[in-house]
Amino acid sequence: MKVLVPVKRVIDYNVKARVKADGSGVDLANVKMSMNPFDEIAVEEAIRLKEKGAVEEIVAVSIGVKQAQETLRTALAMGADRAILVVAADDVHNDIEPLAVAKILAKIVEEEAPKMVILGKQAIDNDMNATGQMLAALLGWGQATFASEVVVEGEAAKVTREVDGGLQTIEVKLPAIVTTDLRLNEPRYASLPNIMKAKKKPLDEKTAADYGVDVSPRLEVVKTTEPEARQAGEMVPDVDTLIAKLKEKGVV
Amino acid sequence: MAVLLLGEVNNGELSVDATAKAVTAAKSLGDVTVLCAGASAAAAGEAAAKIDGVAKVLVAEDASLSHRLAEPTAALIVSLAGDYSHIVAPATTDAKNVMPRVAALLDVMVISDVSGVVDADTFERPIYAGNAIQTVKSKDSKKVITFRTSTFDAAGEGGSAAVETVGVSDAPSLSSWIEDKVAESDRPELTSAKIVVSGGRGVGSEEDFKVIEALADKLGAAVGASRAAVDSGFAPNDWQVGQTGKVVAPELYIAAGISGAIQHLAGMKDSKIIVAINKDKEAPIFQVADFGLVADLFDAVPELTSKL
Ligand SMILES: Cc1cc2nc3c(=O)[nH]c(=O)nc-3n(C[C@H](O)[C@H](O)[C@H](O)COP(=O)(O)OP(=O)(O)OC[C@H]3O[C@@H](n4cnc5c(N)ncnc54)[C@H](O)[C@@H]3O)c2cc1C
C-alpha cells in the first residue's frame, strides 16, 4: 500500500519563540526552522511499516512556503520515496490553517489514492491539533489519533492511542488517518549518504491554486502578545525552610 | 445565540470538573445546552443538569457512541449543529479527537485550546508552547471551540436544567473499540487536583518514582511527569504534563528532577505556587519557581514527605 505523510516546517523545538514588538505575530525571520517533531515521528512510522513489508511507497507532502522543500528533503533523506511541495504562502509568517491544509491534502489523496495518511498530532507552532481529524472528515475516513502503536492487519489497522485516562486501542478500517503521539517511535537521523541520495529523489512542485483551494484564513489574527511573565522567586536553603514558606502561603 | 457543549462522558459517567469548567467558559456566549453521549448517558445527563448555568441537557444513547469514537460522535454533533452558533467542549483528548472533525464537516475552522473569550467571535489561545498568546477573530458562521480547562474555574452546582433525549442517526462504522488500559487510582485527577507532584528524568526509574508518589499521597496530590520520565518508562503517558500532554494549574506544583524545558513549562507555568527541587542550580525550572531548593531529590523529597 501507499502511505502519504504530510510534514510541516516549523520553528525548531529548541528555539524559544519571540513575539514581535508590534504584536503582529511571532518573529520567524532568521530563526532556525525544522520539521515539526510529530511529523518526524510520522515519517519514521511510515518507514518502519515499509521495512516490515506493509507499505510499498511513501509520499511526503508539505504545504507552506517554498523553503519547505528543505523539510521534504529531510523526509526523503529519512526514507520517503518522493515528495510533493505545495507552495501556498510567500511569507513564512503566513501560517496556512489546518482546514485549508486538509482541503489541499484531500485533493492530493484523490490523486494519489494512499491507504493511509500519517500526520503529526499537532504542529508545535500553532498547537492546533486539527489537521488529521479535519482531513479524515473531508475524506469520510476513519481516524486513529494520538497513536503510540500502529499495527496494519489486512484491511484494517490496530492503533493504540494515548488518551487522558491512559491508553485506548481501536481498530480502524483502511483507508484511514493516523496521527502520531510522542511514544510511537524514535525517529532516525538521516545518514550523510542518504542525504546525498535524497537530492536525487523526485520532488514535484505545485501551488494551492493547482488544487483550486482557497487558503485565505478563517481566523483573523487580531494580535499576538507575550504571556504574563512569572515573578522570579527565591531559593531556600533546606527542606525546613521550604515547609515553613509553604505553610506561610497556606498551600500545605 | 446558543451554545452546544459536548459534555465529557466516560463509561456513562460525567466528568463534572472538565464539563463545569467549559460551562464557565461558554456562559457568556449564549444559553448553554450540554450534550451527553454514550452507550448509556442518562446518568451523565442528570449530573450535567445540576451544573449551574446549564440551560438544557440533551442525552444521546446508542451503542455506537460508547468509547467516544470520533466518527459517530462527530456525526451526532453535526446532526444537532443547526440550532447553535457555538459548538464547544473542554479540551480533553476525547474532544480534541472529535471537534476538529466536527469543524471540517461544517466547513469551519476549529479554535483549539481557547484560554480567553473576548466576545462571541474573538478568542485568545496560547501558541508556540504558550510563549505567545494569540487573539483570533473567527469569520465563520459557526464557531467550533475547545476550552483549555486549566484557565477557567468550574461552574458550581445548583442548576436544574431540563433533560431531553435525542435520536441518533446511522453513521457508517469506520472504527471499533478494542480495549482500554486505564490504571485505577485513588488519587485526584491530574487536571483538577489542588496539588501536583511531578517527577522527571532525574528520578531515574519506575521503581524510584515511588518517592514522588509517596509525597503526592502524603499531600493528597496528583502525580505528574515530564516527557522524559514517560518516554523512559518511569511513568504512564497520562501523567505527562506539558505542551503536548496535560495542562495543569494547581495551587501548588512541585517539580522534582525536572529541568524545565519550554515544553514542560507550557503545561504548568500557570500554577499558583511552583516549587522546584533540582540538584543543578542552573536548571531553568528555577526561573519560574516561587521556591527553589538545590538538592538531591532522593534526600529532599523523602524528607518533605516525613516532615509534612
Ligand atoms: C514535540 C515535543 C513535545 C514535547 N512535549 C513535552 C511535554 O508535553 N512535556 C514535557 O515535560 N516535555 C515535553 N517535551 C520534552 C522536553 O523538551 C524535555 O526534553 C523534557 O521536558 C525533559 O524532561 P526532564 O526535565 O525530566 O529531563 P531533563 O531535561 O534530562 O532534566 C532532568 C533534570 O533532573 C535533574 N536531576 C537529575 N538527578 C537528580 C537528582 N538526583 N536530584 C535532583 N535533580 C536531579 C537534572 O539536574 C536535570 O535538571 C517535548 C519535546 C518535543 C520535541
Side-chain angles (χ1 to χ4, degrees):
Chain A
M1 69 178 192
K2 190 193 278 186
V3 170
L4 198 72
V5 186
V7 296
K8 186 176 185 184
R9 180 176 181 268
V10 298
I11 191 168
D12 186 85
Y13 81 96
N14 270 313
V15 178
K16 185 167 187 283
R18 302 267 168 221
V19 174
K20 285 197 269 188
D22 65 0
S24 64
V26 163
D27 194 358
L28 296 173
N30 306 314
V31 167
K32 186 181 177 203
M33 305 292 278
S34 300
M35 189 190 299
N36 179 42
F38 287 101
D39 304 348
E40 285 182 348
I41 297 173
V43 175
E44 177 66 33
E45 195 61 18
I47 298 168
R48 291 191 188 187
L49 289 172
K50 192 177 173 190
E51 286 167 351
K52 280 186 207 144
V55 165
E56 280 96 48
E57 192 185 24
I58 302 167
V59 182
V61 184
S62 194
I63 297 162
V65 289
K66 203 170 165 84
Q67 295 91 312
Q69 63 172 275
E70 293 158 23
T71 315
L72 287 170
R73 289 290 171 206
T74 305
L76 293 169
M78 287 174 74
D81 297 296
R82 58 190 174 85
I84 303 170
L85 171 67
V86 183
V87 178
D90 48 19
D91 180 349
V92 21
H93 294 94
N94 185 0
D95 191 33
I96 309 298
E97 285 174 353
L99 181 61
V101 170
K103 285 182 178 182
I104 293 172
L105 290 173
K107 298 278 185 187
I108 296 175
V109 166
E110 263 172 39
E111 285 177 12
E112 296 282 343
K115 271 281 179 74
M116 192 185 272
V117 183
I118 311 180
L119 307 89
K121 79 164 178 181
Q122 112 191 36
I124 61 164
D125 51 3
N126 65 33
D127 280 335
M128 202 64 94
N129 191 334
T131 306
Q133 298 90 315
M134 292 188 131
L135 179 60
L138 297 178
L139 295 169
W141 289 9
Q143 66 188 55
T145 52
F146 324 146
S148 66
E149 197 188 352
V150 177
V151 183
V152 176
E153 290 171 340
E155 288 304 299
K158 204 168 130 185
V159 178
T160 302
R161 310 177 51 235
E162 295 200 359
V163 294
D164 284 342
L167 295 171
Q168 180 190 54
T169 304
I170 63 169
E171 188 176 85
V172 59
K173 280 186 195 147
L174 299 181
I177 301 295
V178 171
T179 77
T180 64
D181 217 318
L182 295 168
R183 258 66 62 177
L184 184 56
N185 60 52
E186 227 174 285
R188 70 195 63 193
Y189 291 102
S191 67
L192 196 56
N194 284 343
I195 292 172
M196 300 312 289
K197 262 194 258 167
K199 291 187 176 153
K200 298 205 187 77
K201 288 186 180 174
L203 191 157
D204 265 4
E205 202 178 308
K206 304 271 192 182
T207 66
D210 292 339
Y211 297 100
V213 174
D214 174 11
V215 298
S216 50
R218 304 291 187 86
L219 305 179
E220 176 202 337
V221 177
V222 179
K223 63 175 178 189
T224 306
T225 54
E226 297 249 7
E228 243 175 86
R230 278 191 85 92
Q231 295 290 325
E234 56 180 303
M235 301 303 284
V236 293
D238 51 40
V239 168
D240 290 329
T241 317
L242 176 60
I243 291 175
K245 296 276 182 192
L246 292 177
K247 289 211 162 125
E248 215 173 275
K249 294 279 182 190
V251 287
V252 294
Chain B
M1 278 191 297
V3 182
L4 182 66
L5 190 157
L6 177 64
E8 178 75 6
V9 180
N10 241 314
N11 290 327
E13 217 177 289
L14 184 75
S15 166
V16 176
D17 185 71
T19 307
K21 284 172 173 166
V23 169
T24 298
K27 255 191 302 207
S28 66
L29 299 170
D31 277 351
V32 177
T33 297
V34 175
L35 170 65
C36 292
S40 72
E46 293 301 325
K50 294 198 186 96
I51 298 173
D52 193 29
V54 173
K56 192 165 145 189
V57 174
L58 301 180
V59 171
E61 293 190 323
D62 191 80
S64 68
L65 296 170
S66 57
H67 311 294
R68 298 285 290 272
L69 293 171
E71 304 86 5
T73 310
L76 170 69
I77 295 172
V78 170
S79 75
L80 299 168
D83 299 338
Y84 303 96
S85 56
H86 295 74
I87 301 170
V88 308
T92 59
T93 47
D94 278 344
K96 286 177 176 174
N97 188 29
V98 170
M99 298 301 268
R101 190 173 178 107
V102 170
L105 290 172
L106 297 171
D107 192 28
V108 305
M109 187 47 208
V110 68
I111 316 173
S112 310
D113 247 331
V114 164
S115 57
V117 175
V118 179
D119 61 38
D121 305 315
T122 316
F123 306 92
E124 292 172 352
R125 55 182 303 273
I127 55 172
Y128 289 88
N131 284 306
I133 308 294
Q134 198 170 59
T135 305
V136 292
K137 187 170 175 174
S138 168
K139 299 176 201 159
D140 287 320
S141 54
K142 280 186 200 299
K143 327 293 177 207
V144 176
I145 297 167
T146 60
F147 288 114
R148 173 169 278 213
T149 49
S150 64
T151 52
F152 299 96
D153 292 329
E157 285 211 351
S160 56
V163 182
E164 261 176 42
T165 308
V166 290
V168 178
S169 50
D170 265 354
S173 157
L174 297 167
S175 60
S176 54
W177 174 82
I178 297 178
E179 65 168 344
D180 285 333
K181 281 207 182 103
V182 178
E184 292 298 325
S185 161
D186 295 335
R187 297 194 184 106
E189 225 176 289
L190 192 48
T191 49
S192 55
K194 295 245 171 324
I195 304 179
V196 173
V197 184
S198 286
R201 198 198 309 271
V203 178
S205 71
E206 186 182 4
E207 187 57 32
D208 284 331
F209 230 82
K210 295 214 166 71
V211 173
I212 303 293
E213 295 175 50
L215 176 58
D217 290 340
K218 187 71 179 274
L219 292 167
V223 186
S226 70
R227 173 192 174 178
V230 177
D231 282 5
S232 310
F234 309 167
N237 64 280
D238 49 304
W239 290 4
Q240 182 181 309
V241 170
Q243 178 188 15
T244 61
K246 286 181 180 153
V247 179
V248 302
E251 301 288 317
L252 173 61
Y253 187 91
I254 302 178
I258 292 177
S259 63
I262 45 177
Q263 292 86 4
H264 188 78
L265 302 185
M268 44 65 81
K269 69 182 160 67
D270 292 331
S271 305
K272 300 251 161 49
I273 294 192
I274 296 173
V275 170
I277 301 171
N278 197 302
K279 66 181 181 188
D280 172 12
K281 68 176 190 332
E282 306 292 336
I285 188 83
F286 289 127
Q287 291 163 20
V288 300
D290 298 278
F291 303 112
L293 177 62
V294 178
D296 190 311
L297 74 91
F298 293 105
D299 299 327
V301 175
E303 188 181 342
L304 259 174
T305 308
S306 69
K307 287 183 174 167
L308 274 166

